Amino acid sequence: MKTLQEVLQDWEAVIGLEVHTELTTLKTKMFCSCPLEFGAAPNTHTCPVCLGLPGALPVPNKAAIQSIVKAGLATNCQIMRRSMFYRKNYTYPDMPKNFQTTQGPVAFCMGGWLDLEIEGNGCKERVDLPQAKTGSYTTHVGITRIHMEEDAGKMVHIGGAEGRISGATHSLVDYNRAGTPLIELVTEPDLRTPEEARQFVQKLRQIYLALGISDCSMEEGSLRCDGNVSIRRRGETKLGTRSELKNINSFKNLHDALVYEICRQAEVLESGGVIRQETRHYDPTEKRTIVMRVKETADDYRYFPEPDLAPYDLSDEFVDHVRSLMPELPDAKKARFMADYALPSKDAAALAGDPATASFFEQAAADSQYVKGIANIILNDVAAYLNATGMGISAAKFTPAAIAQLAQLQGSDAISSKQAKEVFAILCDEGGMPDDIVQQRGMKQVSDTAAIEAIVSGIMDANPDKVAAYRGGKKGLTGFFVGQTMKAMAGQGNPKLISQVVNKLLEG
Ligand code: ADP
Ligand code: MG
Ligand code: ZN
């Protein structure tokens, strides 16, 4: 099979996404008052409404409507003053009502957009765009709609490999999740590369996290996304036939599944075959997509307006009230971090992307002259530590004040960068303040020029041949003298100063 880069020379990829998000931060389900709680004993959070018992009547959760309106405002959608709930009919054991309550042609949020700024490596996939060659470009992604729906229950398959249905002897069903409020965002087919698709979902996740409407965990399934993809010859305006990729549970898998699928479609079309509209499943271990089913059409679901729910009207007052609750969104935060703290765009974006990290950074940076250092520690050391431990920043033992003090000690050359790493490791294990740690362990960096000169002179006296070689032109030997001095000072010498002294004395 050709590589993506090769395929994209001749073909244009067209991608549209459907992103389903469980509103996990709400207290109750979409149409009943059963609690929303992850990890409860199976079938303990159920009632006649979410079990679909005869005569039970749904009541919409107003907090869920508030959440979807927030999502719509944050993505430049029009908030529809009247929309309706619909029934999408199908039978499957995870759906006891035999229909899913969803929305029809008019959803709460219609016609929005998000702009994506793609930087660095992601630009490589946009072979057609001259500005992508400069390492940064912006692309506009239309949002068709965001509608409200409910989640189904969860099936557990017993006896098959890895809990899969194939080979299972029997299946169990847990209705705790049935009726969980879910919002589905559908994009226009405006994305052109797997990287754009990945960054779109990442950006949307950051927005939802800032809004506080979901925990957006792809591993736990509270953020799920389907990738629709087709290809067409460059210059062609008609859309090709798409396939729809399901079972994507990480950003990497979304990217890799799209890459595979684009290359597969190119191979089929180039060998004279045709693409059928079908639903495919991505297998991350095999790194390929497999057919699940040939696509059903909307008619198969017999959509009709939900007779048990009146059309839902939103007043201007309600929408204005929700608008007044909107937090600062990641793009605005990024712009403010760039302006207020003179951070580069990439660092500002990384800090602004996660609300907990952004607030940690702002607390640490509040009265500091070493903001750049604080940003570096958070984006490198802290990020690596949280990644390795799977911990959230608020659960860690280090405080914003400790990180600010660490940046100050390092930035003012009181400790070396090597010592700063040691202090950071101690902060992770024990907490405390860097000033105390440095004092207790005698970690002060030696920045005394005379003391360093004495040590360098001693090393030069012990290595006259190397001094002669340096003076004869082997300038690379400075590294030897710096290394020996560092070693003699047990890593406590100021590296900048050592290298200055070494150069000065060798030049003699
Ligand atoms: P369904 O609900 O049947 O999946 P939708 O009309 O809601 O269908 O479209 C789903 C997604 O597919 C949207 O994100 C849309 O942008 C995308 N899409 C539609 N046609 C194509 C195509 N030819 N190639 C790629 N994506 C497409
Ligand atoms: Mg679909
Ligand atoms: Zn219920």
Side-chain angles (χ1 to χ4, degrees):
M1 226 159 53
K2 285 185 179 172
T3 65
L4 179 71
Q5 300 285 334
E6 289 163 355
V7 168
L8 293 180
Q9 298 299 325
D10 303 323
W11 299 92
E12 178 176 50
V14 174
I15 302 166
L17 299 171
E18 293 161 83
V19 185
H20 303 256
T21 311
E22 283 179 351
L23 301 177
T24 51
T25 55
L26 297 178
K27 292 193 176 65
T28 56
K29 292 187 181 181
M30 188 60 220
F31 298 109
C32 62
S33 53
C34 287
L36 274 187
E37 188 195 5
F38 188 77
N43 297 307
T44 51
H45 294 332
T46 56
C47 74
V49 174
C50 55
L51 291 177
L53 301 187
L57 285 174
V59 179
N61 180 342
K62 198 163 178 189
I65 312 284
Q66 184 166 306
S67 294
I68 195 173
V69 170
K70 279 185 183 167
L73 291 173
T75 52
N76 308 295
C77 287
Q78 191 185 346
I79 308 302
M80 305 311 285
R81 294 307 193 264
R82 165 166 286 195
S83 67
M84 281 167 76
F85 288 103
Y86 269 60
R87 286 188 183 188
K88 177 181 179 178
N89 299 279
Y90 68 92
T91 73
Y92 201 69
D94 66 3
M95 179 47 88
K97 304 193 306 183
N98 285 348
F99 62 86
Q100 179 192 34
T101 307
T102 178
Q103 293 203 276
V106 180
F108 282 109
C109 313
M110 303 294 291
W113 52 267
L114 280 181
D115 280 343
L116 289 181
E117 196 183 333
I118 311 284
E119 294 181 294
N121 266 342
C123 294
K124 286 195 192 134
E125 294 179 1
R126 225 23 229 272
V127 296
D128 58 313
L129 263 196
Q131 62 267 43
K133 295 209 172 60
T134 66
S136 157
Y137 69 94
T138 302
T139 186
H140 185 83
V141 185
I143 292 168
T144 318
R145 55 192 265 139
I146 313 177
H147 66 252
M148 189 92 237
E149 53 184 43
E150 56 178 343
D151 214 346
K154 203 174 212 158
M155 307 268 296
V156 183
H157 306 294
I158 311 289
E162 294 164 35
R164 298 243 192 88
I165 194 162
S166 60
T169 52
H170 58 288
S171 299
L172 302 172
V173 62
D174 175 9
Y175 291 125
N176 284 351
R177 199 180 69 180
T180 295
L182 202 65
I183 60 175
E184 175 175 349
L185 177 146
V186 182
T187 77
E188 292 293 306
D190 286 348
L191 297 151
R192 291 292 172 269
T193 67
E195 187 57 31
E196 287 177 9
R198 164 167 46 199
Q199 294 203 22
F200 179 87
V201 185
Q202 272 169 343
K203 179 162 192 167
L204 188 66
R205 178 174 186 272
Q206 292 180 348
I207 290 172
Y208 286 175
L209 286 175
L211 295 174
I213 60 176
S214 173
D215 63 7
C216 295
S217 162
M218 277 186 116
E219 297 102 71
E220 283 173 10
S222 55
L223 184 82
R224 308 195 282 268
C225 114
D226 303 339
N228 295 271
V229 56
S230 64
I231 61 173
R232 60 186 174 195
R233 288 276 176 198
R234 291 232 171 254
E236 175 67 71
T237 50
K238 221 173 107 235
L239 289 176
T241 305
R242 72 181 147 126
S243 42
E244 183 169 351
L245 311 179
K246 300 259 186 195
N247 185 44
I248 290 167
N249 57 8
S250 72
F251 292 109
K252 184 176 184 308
N253 286 354
L254 172 64
H255 180 267
D256 294 354
L258 288 167
V259 170
Y260 174 86
E261 186 59 18
I262 291 165
C263 297
R264 185 193 70 85
Q265 290 186 8
E267 191 174 68
V268 170
L269 293 174
E270 285 176 5
S271 60
V274 286
I275 302 294
R276 282 183 310 166
Q277 188 172 338
E278 59 196 10
T279 302
R280 300 177 70 91
H281 163 101
Y282 180 63
D283 183 337
T285 39
E286 297 279 320
K287 285 194 170 304
R288 63 196 185 99
T289 63
I290 335 165
V291 189
M292 275 167 81
R293 54 176 187 262
V294 174
K295 180 80 185 168
E296 55 289 278
T297 64
D299 291 348
D300 296 331
Y301 291 118
R302 306 252 167 234
Y303 280 92
F304 63 83
E306 165 61 60
D308 287 343
L309 289 165
Y312 204 97
D313 291 331
L314 295 178
S315 65
D316 290 346
E317 290 74 33
F318 178 81
V319 177
D320 287 343
H321 172 65
V322 178
R323 196 173 275 122
S324 75
L325 301 175
M326 294 291 280
E328 183 181 34
L329 295 173
D331 273 352
K333 207 177 249 300
K334 173 190 164 187
R336 186 166 61 79
F337 283 2
M338 288 173 72
D340 290 2
Y341 302 107
L343 291 176
S345 150
K346 197 161 170 259
D347 292 0
L351 290 168
D354 172 64
T357 306
S359 126
F360 188 98
F361 166 74
E362 289 213 81
Q363 288 173 55
D367 302 306
S368 177
Q369 292 169 286
Y370 297 95
V371 170
K372 185 82 187 99
I374 292 172
N376 282 340
I377 296 173
I378 294 177
L379 293 173
N380 299 309
D381 308 80
V382 170
Y385 174 74
L386 298 179
N387 215 351
T389 55
M391 200 183 262
I393 199 163
S394 50
K397 288 195 176 156
F398 46 80
T399 59
I403 297 302
Q405 204 174 73
L406 181 59
Q408 194 213 326
L409 287 170
Q410 191 183 344
S412 62
D413 278 338
I415 59 173
S416 67
S417 54
K418 185 161 163 278
Q419 288 171 327
K421 299 261 182 246
E422 280 170 50
V423 173
F424 180 71
I426 296 166
L427 288 176
C428 291
D429 291 344
E430 300 167 15
M433 288 303 279
D435 274 346
D436 301 331
I437 295 169
V438 162
Q439 204 142 45
Q440 279 156 16
R441 313 204 180 207
M443 285 167 93
K444 289 254 181 234
Q445 168 164 266
V446 180
S447 294
D448 174 348
T449 313
I452 295 175
E453 279 178 356
I455 294 168
V456 175
S457 298
I459 293 167
M460 285 170 64
D461 290 347
N463 296 281
D465 51 329
K466 294 220 164 56
V467 174
Y470 174 88
R471 291 184 177 151
K474 290 190 86 176
K475 301 289 176 197
L477 280 167
T478 46
F480 167 79
F481 289 98
V482 170
Q484 291 293 307
T485 311
M486 292 279 242
K487 204 167 139 197
M489 300 183 74
Q492 303 212 356
N494 176 340
K496 261 188 259 165
L497 206 54
I498 291 177
S499 125
Q500 275 168 21
V501 169
V502 163
N503 278 307
K504 193 181 90 185
L505 295 189
L506 281 175
E507 289 298 331

